Amino acid sequence: MDQNLIDFTSHVVDECLPGKSIDCVIIGFEEQQLKVLLLKWKYEDIWCLPGGFIRKDEDMDQAAQRILEMRTGLKSVFLNQFYTFGSKKRSKWNEEVQLTRMGHILEEIHGKNGKFAEWIKQRFITTGYFALVDLRNTAPHPDVLSEKCEWKSISSMPELMMDHGEIIEKALEHLRNQLNYLPIGISLLPQKFTMQDLQKMYEAFLKKPLERSNFQRKMLKLGIFNRHEKQLTGAANKAPYLYSFDKIKYETLLKDGIGFNY
Amino acid sequence: MDQNLIDFTSHVVDECLPGKSIDCVIIGFEEQQLKVLLLKWKYEDIWCLPGGFIRKDEDMDQAAQRILEMRTGLKSVFLNQFYTFGSKKRSKWNEEVQLTRMGHILEEIHGKNGKFAEWIKQRFITTGYFALVDLRNTAPHPDVLSEKCEWKSISSMPELMMDHGEIIEKALEHLRNQLNYLPIGISLLPQKFTMQDLQKMYEAFLKKPLERSNFQRKMLKLGIFNRHEKQLTGAANKAPYLYSFDKIKYETLLKDGIGFNY
């Protein structure tokens, strides 16, 4: 018996709210691709979002922070709530989870009709939180329920648990909407980046190619970038300019919005 | 004993999900003011949003529709989910509700330590839905828990239950953000309106005065309005032009967004 698993699951019934869960969509950008942080279950070839339950003594927002840290090791990540998933299909999906090896192990530990079995088989309404992070600064690691914790490209996802694919898609849709009126990306890119890096990131969100000169002109017009001097290499100097975000101007624009100015 | 109240509350424990509720922020515009549809409790001078619980056999979105219709009589209103409120203070607020006359009556009906009492005193995490409606086309009426159902101006609210003031404020904040990139208002204004009506509505959302000629120029540039011929009255014709929304162009803009065009 896996003692860690027993400890981990023994207290949820008494300590957590019934029927309410949290799932975190942690997004990074690398090799010109958007990536999502996923956990691979022990015993099974199924991946899932880092998620968990809300303790009776904590706010839902606090729970999201705790769950993310507990399941992936990521600290001080700013999480934003984006949607709550309450389809009645969520009960049925729960039943499917119970048919997995993990489900059987939990049944062995807690009994087929015990308090835990009753608790876990109800419909869980889950609230989604997202965060944008510079994945170069993260060192994610799996928890007791999982054996891997890895960044997966959104264009080639492994098989996902329950409706986790839909939850990721909804987070991306939310971010695409925000791109219409907010600058996004300061937390996804390394400190210095090229205009091409920025364009590739926007293209990944918007799922369409953008015209280079038009994109650069509009972006630079926002006035939120610092351009850095090229390092002279002696050779014909064809390296592109590097930029960084001007944090104060970025924050101002984030507050005012870049959309329709009334 | 109020038999309707007994019937209304007797089945929730078995039929509804524990600890999950829904609150609806229904917004209208009249007399140059934004208004919210509120219910006044029986026995007490407290107002609340139309809200309720999710049945085990329905999706959360279906529940929101059913609750709105059941509590206010409003049908076919398009509801949008905007935020889920999960603060741990929500348990404490629940306790306050139990101290009201309504709380005592429910205690008389269901007992102090019965199943209903246990069920109702847990923390309810509530998901907020909003809708924008033409209040001239609505005929709201109160339900068994309430004695009034009325439109109240957001600038002079009565005393509200629990965190309902915060829920309304969050809905308005969400709509203010949307104004940055989406046209809003087709469902709030009568079919024909003046540019001044439109401006007053935007000012009410944005909570600031807008410059008239600049507003009109930008609005008309969107290309979503039809201008109607003035009715000749014989007198000096000073009546302002009336406009209506061009629904097809409006829908297109709603899809594409009016913000930063990449």
Side-chain angles (χ1 to χ4, degrees):
Chain A
M1 277 292 193
D2 182 335
Q3 189 58 44
N4 286 331
L5 189 62
I6 297 175
D7 294 344
F8 186 79
T9 55
S10 285
H11 304 293
V12 287
V13 180
D14 294 324
E15 290 176 4
C16 294
L17 300 179
K20 269 295 306 169
S21 62
I22 281 172
D23 284 296
C24 302
V25 182
I26 312 301
I27 297 172
F29 183 71
E30 192 184 44
E31 296 158 345
Q32 306 197 340
Q33 300 202 47
L34 288 174
K35 298 189 172 181
V36 176
L37 191 59
L38 296 176
L39 294 161
K40 188 197 161 295
W41 274 33
K42 279 179 178 167
Y43 319 117
E44 211 99 15
D45 198 17
I46 292 179
W47 294 73
C48 66
L49 293 168
F53 309 118
I54 304 163
R55 295 170 57 110
K56 288 177 182 168
D57 60 358
E58 68 188 352
D59 291 332
M60 191 168 71
D61 290 353
Q62 290 173 332
Q65 294 289 349
R66 177 184 55 75
I67 288 164
L68 181 64
E69 182 175 341
M70 183 178 73
R71 303 217 58 189
T72 69
L74 264 57
K75 291 182 191 179
S76 309
V77 169
F78 184 74
L79 289 164
N80 305 270
Q81 191 200 116
F82 66 93
Y83 201 75
T84 295
F85 301 82
S87 157
K88 67 186 171 202
K89 281 187 294 182
R90 300 204 104 247
S91 319
K92 210 172 150 216
W93 284 320
N94 256 356
E95 283 167 32
E96 283 168 28
V97 171
Q98 286 163 63
L99 298 177
T100 61
R101 176 97 196 273
M102 177 72 82
H104 288 129
I105 290 173
L106 289 171
E107 197 177 293
E108 272 180 48
I109 296 174
H110 299 288
K112 201 181 169 96
N113 299 303
K115 237 165 51 163
F116 180 83
E118 282 303 309
W119 194 83
I120 204 73
K121 82 177 180 202
Q122 62 197 321
R123 180 187 344 172
F124 277 81
I125 287 184
T126 199
T127 296
Y129 284 79
F130 76 85
L132 303 176
V133 303
D134 181 353
L135 59 76
R136 284 155 288 266
N137 294 337
T138 62
H141 55 74
D143 69 337
V144 317
L145 294 167
S146 43
E147 61 181 28
K148 287 183 191 171
C149 181
E150 290 175 7
W151 292 100
K152 294 286 181 188
S153 166
I154 61 161
S155 55
S156 60
M157 285 285 187
E159 195 188 338
L160 290 168
M161 199 178 85
M162 291 171 65
D163 55 347
H164 289 198
E166 191 191 315
I167 295 173
I168 294 168
E169 194 38 57
K170 193 82 182 176
L172 293 170
E173 184 189 315
H174 181 86
L175 284 161
R176 267 194 290 279
N177 281 338
Q178 287 205 332
L179 280 185
N180 272 311
Y181 66 102
L182 290 178
I184 284 182
I186 196 165
S187 40
L188 283 171
L189 292 170
Q191 218 196 338
K192 290 184 181 179
F193 50 87
T194 66
M195 273 293 135
Q196 199 196 11
D197 294 332
L198 189 72
Q199 182 175 340
K200 289 292 171 194
M201 188 190 76
Y202 273 77
E203 288 178 342
F205 275 118
L206 297 167
K207 293 202 274 193
K208 63 178 182 188
L210 300 169
E211 201 279 307
R212 187 180 147 277
S213 61
N214 188 43
F215 177 81
Q216 294 206 6
R217 184 175 47 78
K218 285 195 169 186
M219 273 294 160
L220 293 173
K221 213 175 136 190
L222 292 176
I224 55 173
F225 301 101
N226 296 319
R227 194 173 84 175
H228 298 278
E229 287 304 313
K230 288 188 185 183
Q231 304 281 330
L232 290 177
T233 57
N237 198 9
K238 289 202 172 171
Y241 278 108
L242 288 174
Y243 293 85
S244 61
F245 285 101
D246 181 317
K247 287 200 178 159
I248 292 170
K249 289 181 187 162
Y250 184 95
E251 292 295 331
T252 308
L253 197 59
L254 207 56
K255 207 169 133 271
D256 296 346
I258 52 177
F260 197 78
N261 264 311
Y262 293 97
Chain B
M1 278 291 192
D2 182 335
Q3 189 58 43
N4 286 331
L5 189 62
I6 297 175
D7 294 343
F8 186 79
T9 55
S10 286
H11 305 292
V12 287
V13 179
D14 294 323
E15 290 177 3
C16 295
L17 300 178
K20 268 296 306 170
S21 61
I22 281 172
D23 284 296
C24 301
V25 182
I26 311 302
I27 296 172
F29 183 71
E30 191 183 46
E31 297 158 344
Q32 306 197 340
Q33 300 200 48
L34 289 175
K35 298 190 172 179
V36 176
L37 191 60
L38 296 176
L39 294 161
K40 187 196 161 295
W41 275 33
K42 279 179 179 168
Y43 320 118
E44 212 100 14
D45 198 16
I46 292 179
W47 294 73
C48 66
L49 293 168
F53 309 118
I54 303 163
R55 294 170 58 111
K56 288 176 182 169
D57 60 358
E58 69 188 352
D59 291 333
M60 192 168 70
D61 290 354
Q62 290 173 331
Q65 294 289 350
R66 177 185 53 78
I67 288 165
L68 181 64
E69 182 175 340
M70 183 178 71
R71 302 216 59 188
T72 69
L74 264 57
K75 289 182 191 179
S76 310
V77 170
F78 184 74
L79 288 164
N80 305 270
Q81 190 201 116
F82 65 94
Y83 201 76
T84 294
F85 300 83
S87 157
K88 66 185 171 203
K89 281 186 294 180
R90 300 203 103 247
S91 318
K92 210 171 150 217
W93 284 321
N94 257 356
E95 284 169 30
E96 283 168 29
V97 172
Q98 287 165 61
L99 299 178
T100 61
R101 177 96 194 274
M102 177 73 82
H104 287 128
I105 290 172
L106 288 171
E107 197 177 293
E108 273 179 49
I109 297 174
H110 299 288
K112 201 182 169 95
N113 299 304
K115 237 165 53 162
F116 180 83
E118 282 303 311
W119 194 83
I120 203 73
K121 83 176 181 203
Q122 62 196 322
R123 183 189 337 175
F124 277 81
I125 287 184
T126 199
T127 296
Y129 284 78
F130 76 85
L132 303 176
V133 303
D134 181 354
L135 59 77
R136 285 155 288 267
N137 294 336
T138 62
H141 55 73
D143 69 336
V144 315
L145 294 167
S146 44
E147 61 181 28
K148 287 182 191 172
C149 181
E150 290 175 6
W151 292 100
K152 294 287 181 185
S153 166
I154 61 161
S155 54
S156 59
M157 285 284 186
E159 194 188 338
L160 291 169
M161 200 178 84
M162 291 173 64
D163 55 348
H164 288 198
E166 192 191 314
I167 295 173
I168 293 168
E169 193 38 57
K170 194 82 183 178
L172 293 170
E173 185 190 314
H174 182 85
L175 284 160
R176 268 194 291 278
N177 281 339
Q178 288 205 332
L179 280 185
N180 272 311
Y181 67 101
L182 290 178
I184 285 182
I186 197 165
S187 40
L188 283 171
L189 292 169
Q191 218 197 338
K192 289 185 181 178
F193 50 87
T194 66
M195 273 293 134
Q196 198 196 12
D197 294 332
L198 189 72
Q199 182 175 339
K200 289 293 171 193
M201 188 191 75
Y202 273 78
E203 288 178 341
F205 274 117
L206 297 167
K207 294 202 274 193
K208 63 179 183 188
L210 300 169
E211 203 277 307
R212 186 180 149 278
S213 61
N214 188 43
F215 177 81
Q216 294 205 6
R217 184 175 47 77
K218 286 194 169 186
M219 272 295 159
L220 293 174
K221 213 174 136 193
L222 293 176
I224 55 174
F225 301 102
N226 296 319
R227 195 174 82 175
H228 299 279
E229 288 303 314
K230 287 188 185 184
Q231 305 282 331
L232 289 176
T233 56
N237 197 8
K238 290 204 171 171
Y241 278 107
L242 288 174
Y243 294 85
S244 61
F245 285 101
D246 181 316
K247 285 198 180 161
I248 293 171
K249 290 181 187 162
Y250 184 95
E251 292 295 331
T252 308
L253 198 59
L254 207 57
K255 208 169 132 270
D256 297 345
I258 52 178
F260 196 77
N261 264 310
Y262 294 99

